[in-house]
Amino acid sequence: MDLVLTGGKVFCADKALTVAEALAVRNGRIAWVGSSAEAAEHVGTKTRLLELEGRTVLPGFQDAHCHPAEGGMELARCVLNDANSREACLAAIAAYAADHPELEWVSGSGWSIDSFEHGTPSREDLDAVLPDRPAFFDNRDGHGAWVNSRALALAGITRETPDPSGGRIERDAEGKPQGTLHEHAMELVRKLLPPTTAEEWEAGVLRAQDTFHALGITAWQDARIDHPLHLAAYRAVAERGELTMRVEGNLLWERGSGEEQLEKLVAQRAQGSVGRLRIRGAKIFVDGVLENFTGALLEPYVGTDNYGISMFDRTELERAVVVLDSHSFQVHMHTIGDAAVRDALDALDAAMRANGRRDSRHHLAHLQLVHPDDLPRFAGLGVIPNVSPLWACHSGYVDELTEPFIGPERSARMYPFGSLVRAGARLAFGSDWMVSTSDPLPQLEVAVTRVSPETRELPPLLPDEALDLPTALRTFTAGSAYVNFLDDETGTIEPGKLADLVVLDRDVLDRGSGPIGDARVLLTLVEGEAVHADPALGW
Ligand SMILES: [Zn+2]
């Protein structure tokens, strides 16, 4: 054998939830799984032996919904993800701008709507630190942007500018643009930013790959590929043999472009198989998010007649899904509100009736609100709930920016992970990085406790919707592998599968080892080769 790991807890993530003690790897694949007592038989003169000392081994984590290429590029810009107040954001922006006098535009991302009154930062605040240069900052969830007066002026946005379709320009009491742009209104300014280069895209992919491997992740599903340099960067990195991540890519189905875009998507998909890269999916944004009233609801937001924004009318959505399904795309839909979820399930139902059923593994991402009538439809249609576990806890987003506007009845069924599992659905987890951290361990903590590791003193959010730890671990490995079409080769620890593995610093199955969010990744293997190793391990 090339490698033997022994003396640990090997969580196999198979259906039986087997926990073994040791495993052996040969030629990049798992060759044997068993007890520590038997492991010695597999150790030869050339075998590398790793004593686990009780630590946990899991299949490599798989992130079923994230935006790694853009995230990797963002890491080179002004990152506000750790700035959790208005003052901290402005200080970080001022420091970054001072460090980068060469930049024509100052841009970045990661501000949080709960750092600002009404979730809408003002142009005046940004003008105070950036009076001369235009500035553009995406918020953490990617559904809004903060701009300064210079940027608004360059884009020609005034009190007279109408809201674009699918978007909204936040305005002050006098009707003047206030500084926050929602959804499609962001494009009015974003299109003026200097274009990104091929080198920046490739560096973004590689930076994200390093970041994810350090967190134990060995496969990701890129939820949206719509820039020509994005696919080209993946291909270039894969062709050079530098892609150690298994990548499933989704091409964007653009609203308003209709069926004419199909030919282009089919041609791009045909280019998408190099090394560990596969393109199989098409992504559709069905709605926005609840915090800015763009999530689509079956009943209006409290005290309004606003049902949110459906990006497509129902027949248009159904037509898109039927056509994509008939061309064997895996359809991946962003669905936050209960109306978006219902429209998406109806469209998938129509596609299966029109085209027949195949092993399509269509999936709906995020699922903040699902009407109880729709819960059993996931199992019935074989549609995968691809949920973002980190969001299912009390936070400013939930308590201040969502619950008051959807009311108590709907608030009592937010992020219904437990209900979906009880209704027979096959869950997958996706971080939505850089919207949220890509670290699977805090995400797992929220999945099992419904409490954020950052605010462990808070009560759980709807504890009946929590998952038990083995189910959550299996969701982040085998569950995500299934929606990534990688379950034949990865996602569980079984003889014959690829040795994509992660070693954690403790026995996470032992309740005495503390919250799983405190655990750390020591070693990440792809086909038996280390792609991340903590120096403490002496690898
Ligand atoms: Zn996303």
Side-chain angles (χ1 to χ4, degrees):
M1 296 291 168
D2 301 324
L3 171 67
V4 168
L5 309 183
T6 185
K9 286 274 183 75
V10 178
F11 181 82
C12 297
D14 55 350
K15 259 205 189 106
L17 301 172
T18 306
V19 180
E21 296 171 342
L23 66 93
V25 174
R26 187 173 50 207
N27 295 333
R29 289 186 184 267
I30 297 161
W32 169 85
V33 182
S35 69
S36 297
E38 300 161 304
E41 293 169 29
H42 301 278
V43 179
T45 49
K46 289 188 179 146
T47 305
R48 177 169 209 158
L49 182 66
L50 181 66
E51 294 287 350
L52 292 164
E53 297 167 3
R55 298 177 182 119
T56 309
V57 182
L58 302 167
F61 293 118
Q62 302 204 13
D63 191 327
H65 181 118
C66 54
H67 305 278
E70 293 92 336
M73 284 197 290
E74 281 306 320
L75 292 178
R77 301 195 187 112
C78 181
V79 179
L80 300 173
N81 290 58
D82 294 326
N84 284 317
S85 68
R86 167 181 166 275
E87 294 70 26
C89 284
L90 290 167
I93 292 167
Y96 179 87
D99 281 350
H100 295 277
E102 78 287 358
L103 294 175
E104 197 186 322
W105 278 76
V106 179
S107 68
S109 64
W111 57 272
S112 174
I113 56 178
D114 57 7
S115 300
F116 298 91
E117 204 181 340
H118 309 302
T120 54
S122 73
R123 63 187 158 80
E124 285 94 348
D125 274 355
L126 205 44
D127 291 347
V129 293
L130 281 166
D132 306 319
R133 286 185 280 173
F136 181 93
F137 287 86
D138 284 287
N139 81 6
R140 208 168 282 183
D141 63 29
H143 293 268
W146 179 17
V147 297
N148 65 357
S149 296
R150 187 84 191 102
L152 287 165
L154 285 173
I157 300 173
T158 65
R159 156 207 307 263
E160 277 74 41
T161 308
D163 287 342
S165 151
R168 189 159 55 81
I169 300 164
E170 189 72 33
R171 297 166 199 269
D172 63 18
E174 294 154 35
K176 282 198 288 195
Q178 173 271 356
T180 306
L181 304 172
H182 301 286
E183 303 289 345
H184 286 265
M186 294 190 282
E187 297 309 318
L188 301 172
V189 173
R190 199 204 304 274
K191 66 184 183 200
L192 304 176
L193 288 166
T196 46
T197 65
E199 292 72 29
E200 285 174 305
W201 280 97
E202 289 176 31
V205 168
L206 292 172
R207 206 179 283 117
Q209 177 171 275
D210 286 346
T211 305
F212 277 51
H213 281 332
L215 299 170
I217 299 164
T218 53
W220 72 43
Q221 182 151 172
D222 190 318
R224 169 183 179 161
I225 297 177
D226 61 338
H227 194 293
L229 293 178
H230 191 158
L231 181 54
Y234 273 129
R235 282 183 57 85
V237 169
E239 274 163 5
R240 292 201 300 267
E242 294 172 14
L243 196 65
T244 46
M245 190 67 66
R246 298 183 203 288
V247 176
E248 275 293 317
N250 291 268
L251 303 169
L252 182 70
W253 179 267
E254 282 173 54
R255 66 200 282 272
S257 301
E259 287 174 46
E260 276 147 50
Q261 62 191 307
L262 188 68
E263 207 176 318
K264 179 184 82 182
L265 298 191
V266 169
Q268 286 178 337
R269 178 174 63 182
Q271 303 226 310
S273 282
V274 192
R276 294 189 176 96
L277 170 68
R278 294 288 175 278
I279 304 284
R280 229 181 294 252
K283 170 75 175 293
I284 300 178
F285 279 89
V286 181
D287 67 343
V289 294
L290 299 181
E291 294 88 349
N292 65 4
F293 299 173
T294 58
L297 298 179
L298 292 167
E299 301 294 334
Y301 289 90
V302 169
T304 74
D305 55 7
N306 180 4
Y307 288 80
I309 294 182
S310 293
M311 299 289 178
F312 295 84
D313 73 48
R314 290 173 49 82
T315 45
E316 193 190 355
L317 180 66
E318 182 178 311
R319 188 66 206 142
V321 172
V322 169
V323 165
L324 286 167
D325 178 70
S326 76
H327 287 78
S328 303
F329 277 96
Q330 180 187 25
V331 182
H332 179 171
M333 286 187 265
H334 168 108
T335 50
I336 286 277
D338 49 11
V341 173
R342 179 161 296 171
D343 286 355
L345 289 169
D346 288 350
L348 290 167
D349 194 358
M352 289 181 207
R353 277 189 276 111
N355 306 326
R357 279 179 89 137
R358 61 184 172 88
D359 185 14
S360 50
R361 307 190 194 183
H362 300 312
H363 49 135
L364 304 190
H366 311 320
L367 304 173
Q368 187 161 2
L369 280 181
V370 181
H371 191 280
D373 293 349
D374 291 324
L375 290 168
R377 300 180 71 196
F378 286 87
L381 294 167
V383 172
I384 299 147
N386 183 350
V387 297
S388 309
L390 194 86
W391 306 347
C393 56
H394 284 292
S395 70
Y397 278 80
V398 164
D399 302 354
E400 285 146 43
L401 296 164
T402 304
E403 289 190 352
F405 305 106
I406 61 170
E409 194 198 322
R410 286 179 290 191
S411 295
R413 45 184 167 84
M414 249 192 287
Y415 299 116
F417 309 160
S419 294
L420 284 161
V421 169
R422 288 187 286 274
R426 210 168 165 161
L427 247 55
F429 282 157
S431 69
D432 211 17
W433 189 74
M434 269 185 65
V435 173
S436 309
T437 178
S438 51
D439 187 344
L441 297 166
Q443 295 176 68
L444 284 163
E445 182 171 336
V446 182
V448 300
T449 64
R450 309 281 289 193
V451 176
S452 165
E454 286 173 22
T455 50
R456 286 184 180 137
E457 67 284 3
L458 293 181
L461 177 75
L462 310 174
D464 285 350
E465 299 297 346
L467 305 178
D468 59 69
L469 182 58
T471 301
L473 290 171
R474 189 167 138 78
T475 301
F476 233 142
T477 52
S480 294
Y482 179 73
V483 80
N484 288 341
F485 278 100
L486 289 168
D487 54 316
D488 280 349
E489 292 272 69
T490 69
T492 61
I493 296 179
E494 294 173 86
K497 289 221 168 162
L498 293 169
D500 290 4
L501 301 167
V502 56
V503 178
L504 304 179
D505 69 347
R506 65 194 71 187
D507 175 4
V508 296
L509 300 167
D510 171 12
R511 280 179 179 274
S513 69
I516 188 166
D518 288 350
R520 289 289 163 266
V521 169
L522 294 182
L523 179 67
T524 309
L525 301 174
V526 170
E527 293 172 44
E529 300 289 330
V531 290
H532 166 78
D534 189 301
L537 202 63
W539 183 264

